[in-house]
Amino acid sequence: MKSALLGAPLPTSAHAEERLNNAEALAILSSDALSSVAYATQEIVLVLGMAGAAGLLYTLPITGLIIGLMVIVAISYRQTIKAYPKGGGSYRVSHENLGPLTGLVAGAALSIDYVLTVAVSTAAGIAALTSYFPALEHYRIVLCLGALALLMVANLRGVRSSAQLLSLPTYGFMVVVFMLLIGGALKAAQGDLTSLAAAQQNLVLAHEHHQPAEQLGAALTPVLLMRAFSSGCAALTGIEAISDSVLAFRPTEWRNARRVLTVMVAMLAIMFGGISVLAHQVGTVYREHGPTLLYQLGQAVFGNGPLLLVLQLTTLLILLLAANTAYADFPRLANFLAQDGYLPRQLTSLGDRLVFSNGILALSGFAALLLVVFNGSVSRLIPLYAVGVFLSFTLSQAGMVVHWWKQRGGGWLGKATINGVGTVVTAVVTAVLLFSKFVQGAWLVVLAIPLLVMLFLNIKRHYRQVASRLRLAADKKLSLPPAPAQGGAPVVVLVGQLHRGSFEAVRYARSIARELVAVHVDLGLGKAEAFKQQWQRQLPEIPLVVLDSPYRSLIDPVLEFVHNFEIEHRKDRDHFCTVVLPVFVTRHRWENLLHNQSTIALRSALRAQGTRVVTTVGFYL
């Protein structure tokens, strides 16, 4: 079942980093940012609509402010790309320059951002579909979860479709949006573009907000304008993706990454600004769960012809591709955090298809929860979205200021000034986001970030305690009890690392063994040779067999070895081979989640194979 759904396992030797040319990188790494134009203007219009036609007049000034902010952030990230040519995500930059705690705040903010990227992009993509097929609106949640399941399975398969194929949705969307903007400009110049008058806008909005049209203008307050600005800042999500993935480019990596970042921001500014201008010209009004703003603009410019369908389909595809970007970035971030000991170590393991399967499953589960809780509504998810993005922007830029100050190379002051301006601007925007959206849902992010940081620190403390309990002197020869003078059984003891837990298992195995062999499985992590050398120094009298596992499976090589060992050593029905497995016994049940529990799976597999004596030696942490 698993193989049919996800495909056959891939060997570790097949793992290679795909390098992209600039055109491919623009399409694949920019999909998150470029797709945001499908809902950024829409969310501005939705908030301003609370103040009627008078509020909608502020659509263009707010769009202009966001485009200016976009340029500032892009210039700052150009600096980061050159300074961190191997990838400079907010977590790494903050961790190295501002300290571990600040890095964890950035990591928590980014984790929330990636989950929200999947939820928002999936919900927006399904909204594009239901706008064209209104009968599907009642099945919005089911469609969202179905799309999410497809994304999850596709990423678990780890099938790397050609970059050209993945580029099609992005370039298709860009072409259709530019056709929309050019067509709208031509129609407006010819006087053929139907516009909704202010009085009609007020009637529609009064009905939507259940109040008299003449009272709508009273809602036009600075707080409302800040809320609209905050909602539109969703257009900046995804800008960091290029700085995270510098090594995905062809040489010279940092130079190509900067070029693509510049083109991406230019395209994003033109598309976002153009859609806002067209929406202002048409007088479009957006209502939650109604036809999307982009659909309404397409209808006004293209009519109900095939181009409108193409617009909606390309919108759906680029939004799903944007969600797919988070599936690449979140497991990588989780892997970094887990390597540093802040998340369960299982998140560092490559699955059968050479992807971080546990990270993909976790991301899918959290995104599904958000989609269900928020009813698959883009407008309800947006208030949570931009806070984590801008917090990570701020910490990354502040980290870069410290980076330049530490190096003090040529032109360091100018570089630090650029990142310093970026820090101040994004910090102000973060404060505006928190103030204007706190009640609408941003409080959840404010609560979640410190809780996540506390979780990271507790996990780190647990791993430190475990390491302290398990530590052995690395070069000291270890003493073992004598083997039984007579009798005893042939014994296989499995050892992953040489520490106090596995040493206790070896000591027990020696006390019962007539013939003893230790088995270590090489999972392709490049640590097998060092382990063999340590074993020869500390336990030279115990034979060690290292089993290669090209598919990173612990169970299959052990099953095969034990099967052959039993055939070789089982003399008659009265003699049994024994398999000894070391196991950790944690103080609290929840701590079991921080260990891979491979002993349980291996013990079950051995018994299913027919091994009659499987003994676990517990080590109490």
Side-chain angles (χ1 to χ4, degrees):
M1 178 74 175
K2 180 182 177 183
S3 297
L5 189 63
L6 303 181
L10 295 174
T12 306
S13 58
H15 193 221
E17 187 71 25
E18 182 178 335
R19 296 293 181 125
L20 305 172
N21 62 40
N22 288 358
E24 294 165 348
L26 176 64
I28 294 170
L29 299 177
S30 302
S31 59
D32 187 7
L34 296 178
S35 68
S36 64
V37 304
Y39 49 81
T41 301
Q42 170 181 292
E43 296 307 312
I44 295 173
V45 169
L46 176 66
V47 175
L48 292 177
M50 297 178 185
L56 293 177
L57 294 174
Y58 288 87
T59 301
L60 295 185
I62 289 174
T63 299
L65 280 175
I66 294 171
I67 290 175
L69 177 62
M70 203 179 288
V71 172
I72 292 172
V73 171
I75 292 173
S76 298
Y77 268 110
R78 279 175 57 88
Q79 302 260 92
T80 304
I81 288 170
K82 187 173 182 180
Y84 284 83
K86 293 185 178 181
S90 293
Y91 171 65
R92 282 294 182 213
V93 174
S94 303
H95 191 277
E96 290 182 12
N97 298 293
L98 301 177
L101 186 60
T102 309
L104 292 180
V105 173
L110 277 176
S111 300
I112 293 170
D113 172 41
Y114 289 139
V115 174
L116 284 166
T117 293
V118 174
V120 170
S121 297
T122 303
I126 296 304
L129 183 66
T130 57
S131 293
Y132 196 85
F133 300 105
L136 297 176
E137 173 63 27
H138 297 295
Y139 306 100
R140 182 174 64 252
I141 297 295
V142 175
L143 291 170
C144 285
L145 295 178
L148 187 62
L150 289 175
L151 284 169
M152 181 184 72
V153 171
N155 281 277
L156 286 173
R157 285 185 64 89
V159 176
R160 292 195 172 190
S161 303
S162 68
Q164 293 83 359
L165 181 62
L166 290 174
S167 300
L168 290 178
T170 303
Y171 284 115
F173 178 73
M174 291 171 64
V175 168
V176 178
V177 168
F178 275 101
M179 289 175 63
L180 175 71
L181 299 179
I182 294 170
L186 292 175
K187 276 197 166 188
Q190 296 169 1
D192 295 334
L193 195 63
T194 305
S195 179
L196 195 64
Q200 294 174 300
Q201 288 177 331
N202 281 332
L203 285 175
V204 174
L205 293 169
H207 180 266
E208 173 70 12
H209 298 293
H210 308 292
Q211 56 181 313
E214 58 272 12
Q215 294 182 9
L216 288 174
L220 187 57
T221 63
V223 173
L224 185 76
L225 294 177
M226 284 192 287
R227 280 186 57 194
F229 172 78
S230 302
S231 296
C233 282
L236 277 80
T237 56
I239 284 183
E240 194 195 42
I242 290 176
S243 72
D244 284 341
S245 306
V246 178
L247 289 179
F249 288 82
R250 293 177 181 173
T252 305
E253 292 87 348
W254 67 266
R255 184 171 286 114
N256 286 327
R258 288 177 61 160
R259 288 170 180 164
V260 171
L261 176 65
T262 302
V263 174
M264 179 192 76
V265 171
M267 293 294 101
L268 178 58
I270 293 169
M271 292 165 66
F272 176 47
I275 288 172
S276 292
V277 169
L278 186 58
H280 177 75
Q281 187 69 30
V282 176
T284 309
V285 173
Y286 173 68
R287 291 170 290 179
E288 189 175 357
H289 298 319
T292 63
L293 182 135
L294 201 57
Y295 174 83
Q296 294 181 59
L297 295 179
Q299 204 171 35
V301 175
F302 297 144
N304 289 313
L307 278 178
L308 180 61
L309 176 60
V310 173
L311 173 64
Q312 296 308 104
L313 289 178
T314 54
T315 302
L316 170 63
L317 290 175
I318 193 175
L319 285 164
L320 293 180
L321 184 57
N324 198 63
T325 302
Y327 272 102
D329 290 339
F330 176 86
R332 188 186 303 129
L333 173 63
N335 171 52
F336 289 152
L337 286 164
Q339 284 179 356
D340 293 340
Y342 295 111
L343 280 178
R345 296 279 166 78
Q346 298 94 306
L347 292 168
T348 64
S349 302
L350 287 172
D352 288 345
R353 301 290 292 178
L354 295 174
V355 294
F356 295 111
S357 303
N358 292 322
I360 291 171
L361 292 171
L363 177 60
S364 301
F366 291 133
L369 180 63
L370 284 179
L371 286 168
V372 171
V373 170
F374 290 89
N375 201 31
S377 170
V378 176
S379 300
R380 295 181 188 179
L381 288 165
I382 284 292
L384 285 69
Y385 198 10
V387 175
V389 176
F390 276 90
L391 180 57
S392 63
F393 282 170
T394 302
L395 295 177
S396 176
Q397 298 312 309
M400 287 304 302
V401 174
V402 175
H403 171 82
W404 298 126
W405 183 79
K406 287 179 178 178
Q407 287 198 340
R408 300 191 188 185
W412 74 272
L413 186 58
K415 296 173 182 177
T417 301
I418 291 173
N419 286 120
V421 171
T423 302
V424 172
V425 171
T426 53
V428 170
V429 173
T430 303
V432 170
L433 289 170
L434 287 172
F435 176 77
S436 60
K437 290 194 170 186
F438 190 82
V439 177
Q440 282 72 35
W443 66 270
L444 285 170
V445 178
V446 174
L447 179 64
I449 289 175
L451 288 177
L452 276 176
V453 171
M454 289 173 60
L455 176 65
F456 295 157
L457 293 173
N458 282 327
I459 291 173
K460 180 73 170 182
R461 182 165 56 250
H462 170 78
Y463 281 134
R464 280 177 176 166
Q465 291 171 348
V466 170
S468 176
R469 288 279 291 130
L470 294 177
R471 191 174 295 116
L472 283 172
D475 297 318
K476 181 180 178 182
K477 188 175 182 298
L478 302 174
S479 60
L480 292 169
Q486 58 183 1
V491 177
V492 174
V493 59
L494 188 69
V495 287
Q497 302 175 54
L498 188 50
H499 48 58
R500 288 181 64 190
S502 58
F503 179 53
E504 290 294 309
V506 173
R507 290 180 69 243
Y508 168 75
R510 176 65 176 266
S511 70
I512 66 167
R514 181 177 72 242
E515 182 177 347
L516 172 61
V517 62
V519 172
H520 174 80
V521 180
D522 178 10
L523 298 176
L525 301 178
K527 299 178 180 179
E529 188 59 36
F531 180 80
K532 285 193 286 187
Q533 293 175 7
Q534 181 187 9
W535 189 271
Q536 287 302 314
R537 289 194 307 269
Q538 299 195 270
L539 288 172
E541 65 268 42
I542 304 297
L544 174 69
V545 175
V546 177
L547 305 177
D548 290 327
S549 181
Y551 294 94
R552 301 161 308 286
S553 170
L554 174 67
I555 294 176
D556 292 342
V558 172
L559 291 182
E560 182 180 358
F561 179 86
V562 170
H563 176 71
N564 293 332
F565 185 85
E566 288 181 321
I567 292 175
E568 180 181 349
H569 291 84
R570 184 178 293 169
K571 305 300 182 183
D572 54 55
R573 295 180 60 187
D574 297 325
H575 291 82
F576 303 102
C577 296
T578 299
V579 178
V580 175
L581 306 176
V583 62
F584 295 149
V585 182
T586 58
R587 293 184 181 182
H588 309 286
R589 286 190 177 183
W590 67 268
E591 292 174 340
N592 289 326
L593 298 174
L594 304 181
H595 303 278
N596 59 23
Q597 306 300 311
S598 57
T599 299
I600 297 174
L602 187 55
R603 183 173 57 194
S604 300
L606 286 166
R607 286 178 173 166
Q609 177 179 265
T611 300
R612 298 176 65 181
V613 183
V614 181
T615 300
T616 55
V617 178
F619 184 82
Y620 289 82
L621 298 174

